[in-house]
Amino acid sequence: MAETLGINVTQSHQTLPEGVKLPIYMDNHATTPLDPRVLKAMMPYLTGIFGNAASRNHSFGWEAEQGVEKAREQIARLIGATAKEIVFTSGATESTNLALKGVAEMYKERGNHIITQVTEHKATLDTCKRLEKSGFRVTFLPVQADGLVDIEDLKNAIITEGPDKTILVSIMYANNEIGVIQPVQAIGKLCHEKGIIFHCDAVQAVGKIPVNVLTDNIDLMSISGHKIYGPKGVGALYVRRRNPRVQLAEQINGGGHERGMRSGTLNVPGIVGLGAACEICQNEMAAEAVRELELRDYLRAKLEKALDYVQVNGNMEHHLPGNLNMSFVYVEGESLLMGINDIAVSSGSACTSATLEPSYVLKALGLGDDVAHSSIRFGLGRFNTKAEVDYVSDKIINVVQHLRDLSPLYEMVKEGIDLSKIEWAAH
Ligand SMILES: *Cc1c(COP(=O)(O)O)cnc(C)c1O
């Protein structure tokens, strides 16, 4: 299809800048490459140190356990927790399942009501839907046009008495599509005033911006290894032990590992990698955030200078440094992606059972289907360079201009025709 549009996707007419290799990875919200320093920390545990961390009566077990306990400390330090408050899991999806189902089951006598919001990750939304099926009442709060939750909406949704009393609020720290940072501290404060447990999916925030479970008033927090240059298939749940002490009903039975909250032999190399990834983030986060923010603003400025009818999505003040979500209006999303197929980014479409659905996050901001489909999420990360940003922006400008040259809609808009006043023939 790209061929018929006259875009040569295999041979770029651009010359490759020094140090740029194709394809370019700019999708760091989906996953991040393993940092070589993390791999180095993991290697001994993939080879010689193979013990089971639960083996208490020999040195093989003790050595493995030492690696695990060091990682617990490294993670706790990054988020202002204590090591005992870290529960290891297979990733943030499991952490969130454990948090929400564990609280619902443990505190169901207290009340029946859970509050979340519509732009959460599917790990939260689908778990909430499952809880609805088993009899809980769930409120899915809307977001404002900038993607942020309105604290007043949250206040109004809280039920303080009766069988439908609110027991749990789950709102994410930073959104994985549009990068907006929710007012977590205020949400947590409100929850604590009302005696409600606050879970936060902080997968995109931890290691990228300062997160502190104490000052942010968070009771339960989901973390994932592979979003912070650690390995896949490992994550953690922070579980607060004081003010208030949070208890969870275990969701996986067998052996009582992780203080009874999550049974199963620990993934020692993965856990060691997660710990090492957290320590690197702790040391480098401040400088890296400045670097990514500069790249992000540079990318945005270049695109906005060269192209008309583009818009950024989501509040840009409360925003992750490495995220840019942009709509290229009057461009068909699929053709755009095909034209830039040597660049890995995400589109504003989600493939659900063979059909292309517009992103539910962008729709929640009020974007129309067409605009959502024409959107691109750039996820800048630790290994992206300015030369890559130059290549990506030049390529996008090229392809968008080309597609618009072929677009009758764009031509009409340029001629000053109001598209909303046109009556289209039914097809
Ligand atoms: C990736 C992601 C998850 C899921 O994490 P896994 O470790 O892959 O299960 C949850 N929430 C957000 C915001 C994410 O970006």
Side-chain angles (χ1 to χ4, degrees), residues 99-263:
L100 304 188
K101 291 173 181 170
V103 164
E105 194 181 325
M106 181 61 76
Y107 297 94
K108 61 172 180 280
E109 312 292 286
R110 207 190 261 185
N112 190 38
H113 184 226
I114 296 165
I115 300 172
T116 186
Q117 52 106 16
V118 290
T119 60
E120 289 292 315
H121 190 271
K122 289 286 182 187
T124 300
L125 294 177
D126 288 350
T127 305
C128 283
K129 282 177 197 156
R130 170 63 189 267
L131 287 168
E132 263 184 329
K133 271 194 190 156
S134 40
F136 289 90
R137 262 198 57 202
V138 182
T139 301
F140 297 88
L141 293 175
V143 292
Q144 305 171 93
D146 66 358
L148 296 183
V149 162
D150 187 341
I151 290 277
E152 287 305 311
D153 285 350
L154 175 61
K155 260 186 209 158
N156 294 334
I158 291 172
I159 301 167
T160 51
E161 274 167 70
D164 277 350
K165 193 166 171 307
T166 309
I167 54 171
L168 173 66
V169 166
S170 180
I171 290 177
M172 70 203 315
Y173 214 113
N175 186 273
N176 47 300
E177 281 190 46
I178 51 174
V180 299
I181 299 167
Q182 297 290 359
V184 167
Q185 209 168 336
I187 293 167
K189 184 163 174 280
L190 179 62
C191 289
H192 282 181
E193 282 164 9
K194 308 267 184 192
I196 298 166
I197 294 169
F198 175 38
H199 167 257
C200 186
D201 170 350
V203 170
Q204 297 289 346
V206 165
K208 315 281 169 65
I209 56 172
V211 171
N212 184 301
V213 290
L214 295 180
T215 52
D216 289 335
N217 308 305
I218 294 168
D219 298 318
L220 295 160
M221 189 168 83
S222 301
I223 299 172
S224 176
H226 74 104
K227 304 290 175 82
I228 53 171
Y229 313 93
K232 293 174 179 57
V234 65
L237 180 66
Y238 158 76
V239 184
R240 185 185 277 270
R241 277 167 66 89
R242 296 182 55 195
N243 306 317
R245 179 186 180 85
V246 177
Q247 288 177 285
L248 295 176
E250 61 183 298
Q251 301 300 308
I252 294 179
N253 308 102
H257 306 70
E258 296 298 271
R259 296 192 322 286
M261 281 184 268
R262 200 275 193 177
S263 290

